[in-house]
Amino acid sequence: QSALTQPASVSGSPGQSITISCTGTSSDVGTYNRVSWYQQHPDKAPKLMIYEVTKRPSGVSNRFSGSKSGNTASLTISGLQTEDEADYYCCSYVDNNAWVFGGGTKLTVL
Amino acid sequence: EVQLVESGGGLVQPGGSLRLSCAASGFSFSGSHLNWVRQAPGKGLEWVAYIGAGGNTWYADSVQGRFAISRDNAENSLSLQMNGLRREDTALYYCASDRDWAFNSWGQGTLVTVSS
């Protein structure tokens, strides 16, 4: 159950688009379309933003989108807004009944 | 409205035990899969344990054999019995419901501190 790999930080200006990558292995991201993304503001509980690689829960802005290629999943945020500044975590189901999170990415909106 | 409210956290010595609870409301508890996810201070998220609607359980390697997840559908309650606690178990423990292979609702967490 090794953690998925995410960049420690990304940044962008309001209105721009950014992409956060999440690299796993053939035991998790590469095999299962069970990748989800979470947004966490300081001292708040995580919030589900994307599930099953590309799906958005009701109420989540369509500025958030997900994709996957091989062992790497990605979260793209378009039209950056100041309230998007937060930590973002990817998560995947893993062989043998487990989940693994990425180390998290701090998004700064300049 | 979905609500998950954790309780039971506190300060415990290494090697000690603690039992966390999560009171649920606003959704079909008995038909839901549930999890515990933790976050050490200043660190990332770590999945801890899962219990399916049918009662099957899964555990992270780091807690296998020390922690036990259980549910009481009559009381709409989820529990985590933690034994043999280690300093590295210090974290904010969240309960989270699970649908479509994702953690769709989260509580606010309960803090567990393992220290002498």
Side-chain angles (χ1 to χ4, degrees):
Chain A
Q1 297 169 6
S2 299
L4 306 175
T5 300
Q6 298 181 232
S9 62
V10 299
S11 62
S13 299
Q16 289 185 332
S17 294
I18 63 95
T19 296
I20 300 172
S21 62
C22 170
T23 302
T25 69
S26 58
S27 295
D28 40 63
V29 176
T31 295
Y32 302 100
N33 287 328
R34 298 170 183 173
V35 176
S36 51
W37 289 90
Y38 303 86
Q39 177 191 66
Q40 187 179 35
H41 287 109
D43 298 320
K44 298 293 186 184
K47 175 186 176 184
L48 176 64
M49 306 302 284
I50 295 288
Y51 68 99
E52 292 181 339
V53 180
T54 62
K55 299 177 181 178
R56 268 189 318 275
S58 174
V60 172
S61 171
N62 60 8
R63 298 184 299 105
F64 291 82
S65 62
S67 62
K68 189 183 86 167
S69 177
N71 292 341
T72 298
S74 299
L75 172 72
T76 298
I77 308 174
S78 59
L80 270 179
Q81 299 180 0
T82 55
E83 58 261 37
D84 298 333
E85 185 163 294
D87 294 327
Y88 290 85
Y89 295 91
C90 62
C91 182
S92 176
Y93 175 80
V94 187
D95 283 349
N96 300 318
N97 299 332
W99 273 269
V100 63
F101 281 93
T105 298
K106 182 177 180 61
L107 169 62
T108 301
V109 181
L110 304 168
Chain B
E1 179 194 2
V2 174
Q3 277 205 318
L4 296 166
V5 180
E6 302 91 339
S7 60
L11 175 63
V12 60
Q13 292 189 341
S17 298
L18 208 58
R19 187 177 182 86
L20 306 183
S21 296
C22 175
S25 60
F27 65 102
S28 173
F29 183 85
S30 61
S32 296
H33 311 310
L34 301 158
N35 295 263
W36 288 96
V37 177
R38 68 185 180 185
Q39 187 168 33
K43 303 296 185 182
L45 300 171
E46 179 188 16
W47 171 76
V48 173
Y50 159 98
I51 185 164
N56 55 316
T57 58
W58 307 339
Y59 296 94
D61 291 344
S62 58
V63 306
Q64 179 76 49
R66 299 188 298 124
F67 289 12
I69 188 172
S70 61
R71 63 191 299 160
D72 183 339
N73 290 338
E75 296 290 329
N76 283 4
S77 178
L78 174 71
S79 296
L80 184 68
Q81 177 66 43
M82 304 186 295
N83 299 327
L85 282 161
R86 306 166 180 168
R87 287 184 170 82
E88 55 265 35
D89 295 319
T90 293
L92 187 64
Y93 284 73
Y94 294 102
C95 71
S97 59
D98 171 352
R99 187 173 69 193
D100 297 325
W101 303 99
F103 308 112
N104 60 311
S105 294
W106 299 66
Q108 289 304 304
T110 187
L111 182 62
V112 172
T113 302
V114 184
S115 174
S116 53

